Amino acid sequence: MEEFLKNLPASVSKTELLKILQEFQDKYGYLDNDFIHELSKKIGIQPGKIYGIASFYSQFRFKPRGKYIVNLCSGVACHINSSENLINEFTKLTSLKDGETSADGKITLELVPCLGGCANSPVVKVNDKYYTKVTKTDLLKIIQGLK
Amino acid sequence: MNLKDITYNYLFKATELSEINKFNRDINLDIPVVFAFRSTCSVIAGIDDTISYIEKYSNENSIKIKIVETSCPGLCSFDPVIGVKIPGRTLILLKNLYYYEVFSVFDSILNHFLPDTKLILAQIYDEKYNSWPEVPDFFSLKQLKIQKRNILKPINTYSPISITDYFAKNGFKAFAKVLTKLTPNEVCSIIENSELKGRGGGGFFTGKKWRKALENNNNPKYFICNADESDPGSVAGRMLIETDPFRLIEGMLIGAYAINASKAIIYVRNTYTLAIDRLKKAIEQTKSAGLFGDDIFGSGINLNIEIVTGPVAYVCGEETALISSLEGSRGMPKPKPPYPSDKGFLEKPTVVNNVETIFNIPFIILNGAESFKQTGVKSSYGTKLFTISGKVDYPGVYEIELGTNIADVLTAVCDDESLNSIKAVHIGGPSGGFVHPDKFYEKLVFNDSKNKSNDIWFGAGSFVVLNKSNCIVDVCKYFLDFDVNESCGKCIPCREGTRVLYDILKRISERPVTTSKHETLQRFKGVTQLEEIAVVMQETSLCGLGQNAPNSILTGLKYFRNEFEEHIYEKKCDAGVCRDLKLYSINIENCVGCGLCVKRCPADAIIGSLHSAHFIVQERCIKCGNCFKICKFNAVNII
Ligand SMILES: Cc1cc2nc3c(=O)[nH]c(=O)nc-3n(C[C@H](O)[C@H](O)[C@H](O)COP(=O)(O)O)c2cc1C
Ligand code: SF4
Ligand code: SF4
Ligand code: SF4
Ligand code: FES
């Protein structure tokens, strides 16, 4: 993290804020408290304010995320094709709700708007891999495969 | 010659680009050429595996095959689509070509045999080559015939990330024309004359917007492309960028020139990884070609393009919110006026245009306003992209001439069976509404909401088809839930209104706690309240999110009132979606106490001892219906 901060230019304008947060999250997975505090000193915006801005956007996370990020699509085409049932099933199987990470740090559930595969909905994405026309049975298999 | 010189000669010296015309070059190769139509939708469908199997096939059989990566034709149900061109024969398009089909398909095709018919989509006729017997012409497919592909090419045999391929399609000729022959004033006039309207939902005249920004001399000025595309159910912008990133850049260069902006910014949602990747490559090449930067080809014009990835919030699609987000704040809308064209990014004059709007610009500049107005109908010229999904056989992104009626579109995207079971179409995403089959003869045109007789508002072009397995109340609830989550909370009518509307819908889609008349009355009162709240929200919300959030409910009530009433009075959801309306109970007369249902109940909601009547604990029941399905004695009732 220190290195990340060191690599930032001496003075940063507010228009760069979101970009910096994105870069940090890309690298470390989430925005941790220390970082927000250090950044605050650097760009002269209160930590609470940075947090307020970041939390407005769904991209930013404030807790470590699991090894596998499971995205269940909650877009409209998937909804029409019963994605709600999959979401309930997932919660039943793992007791995870949207945004939660399993105790062993393996799985994080994140509901997302349209993943872009509406023709083959419902769509599930695990890290970079997509699964299409997913049924409850498929979902169970997917979860079992997350070792 | 370096890229800059090539570009200069091609644009300003009208040099022949024989070396550039890639399509012809590829297609005349004496080895098989494979076109991989790769976009996000086909990646999801598995095209990357297909491509690697084709490479594997080529290696294992020591057959040279050239693979050209292009972009998807937008017919998602056929993904992955692969085109194969063997010497002497027409280009054949294969559909649903998953990796495990690759070896057998290539064994056939490379030996001039057709593969399994279920994998054949069409061929592109060309009299120079022998056609494949009994394979339909691509342009004769009903999914193509309904379309008027002006800004999307029907089939892309060019690489989306090669500037020379773009040159071969007359790329950057419009920008060159602007740079050498037209003043900003003239460019604005051409766009004004074309009567081009914004494709991002607002439908505002693009030319007017540009003119206002041009006339304001508070420099520097900004030209922004809105590629946030946050409407659920719409992926048209992503598709356009993945298909032809250079066209977006060209349109933006023209727009920036027209208003004397020195900087153009593309705000694209950061989940669009492939689109961003292609856009970045395209920007880089455009820069190396000398088409932007300082003093572009000696014209004295300085212009820069930058790409910004938005960290995703629906309301950031609204232009003033988008500007706040670019400024590093929370993306909340601001009251208008002042309009961005007066006071936008960093308080400077700014034009914000949608991706699809910008895609129309190069054509209009090259061919003139009148030519653009040949397509479409009065006050709705040109085409519009619709993202068609839901209960159809051929979902995808369709470019439809404005003025086409909904019924014709549906016929093209459905086969008979699904066509006959359509209950409604939901058009326009969270701001849009339902269209009843009685209105399917209506034309798709820009609609200023004052025109009450036609309440179809297509917004950004999401087009979701529903059949009897979908519940209107549930779809309303879905969109309201979306609005509740996405309302930025700045104004009370929207923040509270969306929540109240959602609660009312939730109440009628759940079983009442008591069966008293009072409870039913309350549920009914909810519906009349819906209408009152809707009016307040429409009139007093700050931005389009709040103003349009009640539209689904209002059109739902107008055309499908019976469904709402059924939910309220009969506690019935015909589609079977609103499960919470149901009550499962065991009839002690019929129950023999076999215990089968106990084993199948996922919620441990059924109690009872063997051979005596069983009982469902309502508080635990999750309405899965297993007990109803499994009981052999008809002892489980649904009330
Ligand atoms: C809640 C809300 C979301 C919007 N989302 C988008 C969007 O995702 N993309 C877009 O181009 N316009 C969106 N708009 C419309 C923009 O405010 C603006 O009108 C548009 O970008 C202008 O470009 P155009 O004239 O080329 O359509 C949205 C508006 C509202 C109120
Ligand atoms: S209408 Fe809703 S989304 Fe728009 S500014 Fe008001 S609270 Fe925010
Ligand atoms: S399956 Fe039917 S008969 Fe058997 S215990 Fe359940 S309700 Fe009674
Ligand atoms: S509907 Fe499902 S949860 Fe409810 S009692 Fe029957 S089996 Fe159990
Ligand atoms: S709605 Fe799920 S992929 Fe589009």
Side-chain angles (χ1 to χ4, degrees):
Chain A
M1 185 181 93
E2 260 141 45
E3 206 185 303
F4 185 92
L5 284 164
K6 219 168 35 213
N7 284 336
L8 291 178
S11 81
V12 212
S13 84
K14 197 178 164 205
T15 49
E16 305 279 309
L17 175 64
L18 293 174
K19 202 169 125 203
I20 295 170
L21 295 178
Q22 282 175 332
E23 280 168 7
F24 187 85
Q25 177 160 310
D26 278 350
K27 215 161 171 184
Y28 302 99
Y30 71 104
L31 305 175
D32 80 339
N33 248 336
D34 292 348
F35 169 70
I36 291 182
H37 275 92
E38 290 304 315
L39 185 67
S40 151
K41 283 183 211 151
K42 191 135 190 167
I43 63 177
I45 302 176
Q46 302 236 317
K49 200 143 184 215
I50 296 183
Y51 181 83
I53 292 169
S55 61
F56 185 82
Y57 299 97
S58 59
Q59 183 194 354
F60 296 117
R61 309 283 156 181
F62 305 93
K63 282 184 296 192
R65 299 149 95 193
K67 179 172 164 205
Y68 298 105
I69 302 193
V70 179
N71 290 149
L72 298 185
C73 180
S74 58
V76 62
C78 288
H79 180 80
I80 297 299
N81 284 323
S82 313
S83 61
E84 193 105 349
N85 293 349
L86 283 187
I87 297 171
N88 292 336
E89 183 76 4
F90 191 91
T91 302
K92 214 172 81 197
L93 292 170
T94 62
S95 19
L96 295 177
K97 292 209 183 76
D98 184 20
E100 291 179 353
T101 303
S102 58
D104 59 5
K106 242 181 225 151
I107 306 177
T108 300
L109 171 64
E110 287 174 5
L111 304 185
V112 286
C114 180
L115 281 167
C118 313
N120 293 304
S121 54
V123 180
V124 173
K125 184 176 170 219
V126 181
N127 294 348
D128 284 330
K129 191 164 168 45
Y130 290 95
Y131 300 85
T132 54
K133 294 190 180 157
V134 178
T135 62
K136 284 187 187 179
T137 333
D138 297 338
L139 191 68
L140 179 66
K141 268 192 230 144
I142 294 171
I143 296 172
Q144 284 168 344
L146 304 179
K147 291 274 154 55
Chain B
M1 257 202 306
N2 65 25
L3 185 56
K4 203 162 170 172
D5 296 334
I6 293 180
T7 308
Y8 182 78
N9 288 341
Y10 152 71
L11 284 179
F12 304 105
K13 298 260 181 258
T15 319
E16 276 298 316
L17 285 177
S18 49
E19 65 184 299
I20 284 169
N21 203 328
K22 188 133 178 200
F23 176 49
N24 289 332
R25 184 184 59 198
D26 281 343
I27 219 146
N28 287 324
L29 285 181
D30 53 6
I31 58 167
V33 182
V34 166
F35 294 96
F37 301 106
R38 184 172 181 272
S39 294
T40 300
C41 35
S42 47
V43 170
I44 292 176
I47 197 167
D48 287 345
D49 290 340
T50 306
I51 298 173
S52 64
Y53 267 69
I54 296 174
E55 283 163 355
K56 200 164 145 194
Y57 179 88
S58 154
N59 290 337
E60 283 180 15
N61 296 291
S62 312
I63 301 175
K64 264 204 178 141
I65 297 179
K66 182 175 170 61
I67 301 178
V68 181
E69 181 180 321
T70 78
S71 55
C72 164
L75 304 171
C76 303
S77 55
F78 300 137
D79 280 337
V81 181
I82 295 281
V84 186
K85 171 80 190 69
I86 57 171
R89 298 211 83 148
T90 56
L91 173 61
I92 185 169
L93 304 175
L94 304 167
K95 63 181 174 186
N96 304 127
L97 186 65
Y98 299 109
Y99 67 92
Y100 49 82
E101 311 267 17
V102 165
F103 274 62
S104 67
V105 164
F106 275 78
D107 274 344
S108 318
I109 290 208
L110 298 190
N111 291 308
H112 294 254
F113 291 111
L114 283 172
D116 191 344
T117 47
K118 75 173 203 293
L119 299 172
I120 298 174
L121 177 60
Q123 64 182 322
I124 313 260
Y125 275 132
D126 185 335
E127 55 200 23
K128 290 203 291 287
Y129 308 110
N130 288 332
S131 56
W132 293 88
E134 286 171 43
V135 174
D137 179 24
F138 183 62
F139 296 94
S140 73
L141 299 179
K142 67 173 182 177
Q143 296 86 357
L144 255 293
K145 272 164 71 188
I146 186 68
Q147 302 195 52
K148 172 105 191 168
R149 292 232 172 167
N150 281 1
I151 59 174
L152 281 171
K153 289 281 155 277
I155 194 88
N156 303 296
T157 40
Y158 294 92
S159 161
I161 47 171
S162 149
I163 196 167
T164 47
D165 274 25
Y166 185 58
F167 288 163
K169 297 186 283 186
N170 270 332
F172 289 113
K173 288 266 176 177
F175 181 53
K177 180 173 172 185
V178 162
L179 213 50
T180 51
K181 299 202 176 80
L182 299 171
T183 62
N185 185 15
E186 285 166 333
V187 178
C188 287
S189 299
I190 294 174
I191 302 301
E192 276 172 326
N193 291 338
S194 75
E195 295 178 45
L196 173 68
K197 289 181 176 177
R199 263 56 177 166
F204 193 77
F205 285 111
T206 306
K208 246 188 209 168
K209 210 175 340 191
W210 288 16
R211 167 77 60 198
K212 264 190 99 186
L214 173 65
E215 284 169 355
N216 193 325
N217 283 324
N218 185 5
N219 288 315
K221 297 188 248 184
Y222 298 96
F223 187 91
I224 295 174
C225 167
N226 185 346
D228 193 42
E229 193 158 64
S230 36
D231 261 21
S234 169
V235 295
R238 183 192 72 196
M239 162 105 178
L240 286 171
I241 298 176
E242 288 178 358
T243 303
D244 213 352
F246 288 104
R247 193 171 306 272
L248 181 69
I249 295 170
E250 181 173 10
M252 292 184 69
L253 291 172
I254 296 169
Y257 177 87
I259 64 164
N260 282 330
S262 53
K263 192 163 174 186
I265 302 171
I266 307 170
Y267 185 93
V268 52
R269 61 169 29 210
N270 85 326
T271 48
Y272 280 7
T273 31
L274 184 60
I276 293 171
D277 182 51
R278 287 191 178 161
L279 202 47
K280 281 187 171 156
K281 287 183 177 139
I283 289 177
E284 214 154 274
Q285 288 180 46
T286 312
K287 190 169 178 126
S288 323
L291 286 163
F292 71 86
D294 290 341
D295 190 17
I296 305 167
F297 288 114
S299 62
I301 289 165
N302 305 327
L303 181 56
N304 255 306
I305 295 193
E306 190 191 338
I307 176 166
V308 172
T309 56
V312 189
Y314 171 61
V315 75
C316 279
E318 198 281 334
E319 53 191 7
T320 57
L322 184 149
I323 290 170
S324 302
S325 175
L326 279 177
E327 290 167 349
S329 302
R330 295 201 270 175
M332 286 192 180
K334 290 192 187 129
K336 289 188 274 195
Y339 289 94
S341 45
D342 288 326
K343 244 183 184 186
F345 182 51
L346 304 174
E347 308 273 294
K348 297 292 183 182
T350 303
V351 163
V352 181
N353 271 136
N354 170 265
V355 178
E356 191 181 337
T357 314
I358 298 173
F359 259 74
N360 280 290
I361 302 292
F363 178 90
I364 298 173
I365 295 295
L366 266 189
N367 303 289
E370 286 314 314
S371 194
F372 174 72
K373 286 159 93 172
Q374 299 296 310
T375 314
V377 290
K378 194 169 179 322
S379 56
S380 288
Y381 295 111
T383 59
K384 174 84 194 84
L385 264 55
F386 287 90
T387 309
I388 301 180
S389 66
K391 305 293 185 187
V392 295
D393 299 297
Y394 309 106
V397 178
Y398 285 71
E399 183 174 353
I400 304 287
E401 176 167 8
L402 289 170
T404 307
N405 73 36
I406 297 172
D408 288 345
V409 175
L410 290 171
T411 316
V413 299
C414 291
D415 289 333
D416 288 348
E417 198 185 328
S418 31
L419 192 62
N420 293 330
S421 52
I422 296 176
K423 172 154 107 180
V425 183
H426 190 284
I427 300 183
S431 307
F434 296 99
V435 183
H436 189 272
D438 289 348
K439 292 251 172 181
F440 285 173
Y441 62 84
E442 287 278 11
K443 291 180 160 58
L444 292 162
V445 288
F446 279 100
N447 186 359
D448 51 273
S449 49
K450 281 154 222 119
N451 172 5
K452 289 282 186 219
S453 70
N454 174 1
D455 53 14
I456 302 165
W457 184 85
F458 57 61
S462 119
F463 190 107
V464 185
V465 178
L466 310 170
N467 68 13
K468 58 181 180 305
S469 73
N470 303 117
C471 163
I472 299 290
V473 178
D474 173 71
V475 175
C476 287
K477 201 170 71 169
Y478 171 83
F479 281 118
L480 254 303
D481 182 36
F482 180 86
D483 291 327
V484 169
N485 286 320
E486 299 296 339
S487 164
C488 77
K490 187 165 180 170
C491 50
I492 296 169
C494 168
R495 188 181 63 212
E496 300 304 323
T498 49
R499 203 169 293 275
V500 174
L501 293 182
Y502 177 78
D503 286 343
I504 293 171
L505 290 175
K506 188 159 184 296
R507 181 149 18 113
I508 65 175
S509 60
E510 279 171 2
R511 203 173 172 80
V513 204
T514 67
T515 50
S516 73
K517 294 250 164 24
H518 178 71
E519 177 79 26
T520 313
L521 198 67
Q522 284 302 321
R523 284 153 63 86
F524 178 69
K525 237 168 76 187
V527 174
T528 52
Q529 266 173 13
L530 286 175
E531 280 155 341
E532 282 165 29
I533 299 167
V535 176
V536 177
M537 288 176 68
Q538 284 173 329
E539 285 172 1
T540 59
S541 295
L542 184 58
C543 85
L545 192 153
Q547 289 157 7
N548 297 321
N551 291 355
S552 290
I553 296 183
L554 292 179
T555 49
L557 279 173
K558 187 161 156 196
Y559 300 116
F560 299 94
R561 202 176 183 92
N562 57 327
E563 269 190 47
F564 284 79
E565 289 177 351
E566 255 176 30
H567 279 70
I568 296 169
Y569 298 122
E570 294 166 41
K571 304 178 200 77
K572 208 170 90 190
C573 172
D574 254 350
V577 177
C578 300
R579 285 218 215 134
D580 293 341
L581 268 182
K582 289 185 193 153
L583 186 79
Y584 289 84
S585 72
I586 293 174
N587 179 349
I588 44 175
E589 307 275 299
N590 290 3
C591 175
V592 299
C594 69
L596 212 53
C597 58
V598 179
K599 289 199 197 96
R600 286 303 178 89
C601 175
D604 280 332
I606 308 178
I607 50 175
S609 45
L610 216 57
H611 307 307
S612 60
H614 281 49
F615 179 75
I616 296 179
V617 183
Q618 293 304 333
E619 288 71 37
R620 284 194 207 150
C621 170
I622 57 162
K623 332 268 182 191
C624 72
N626 283 359
C627 52
F628 177 76
K629 274 182 239 147
I630 196 80
C631 178
K632 294 192 181 76
F633 304 90
N634 279 333
V636 179
N637 297 334
I638 306 177
I639 316 173

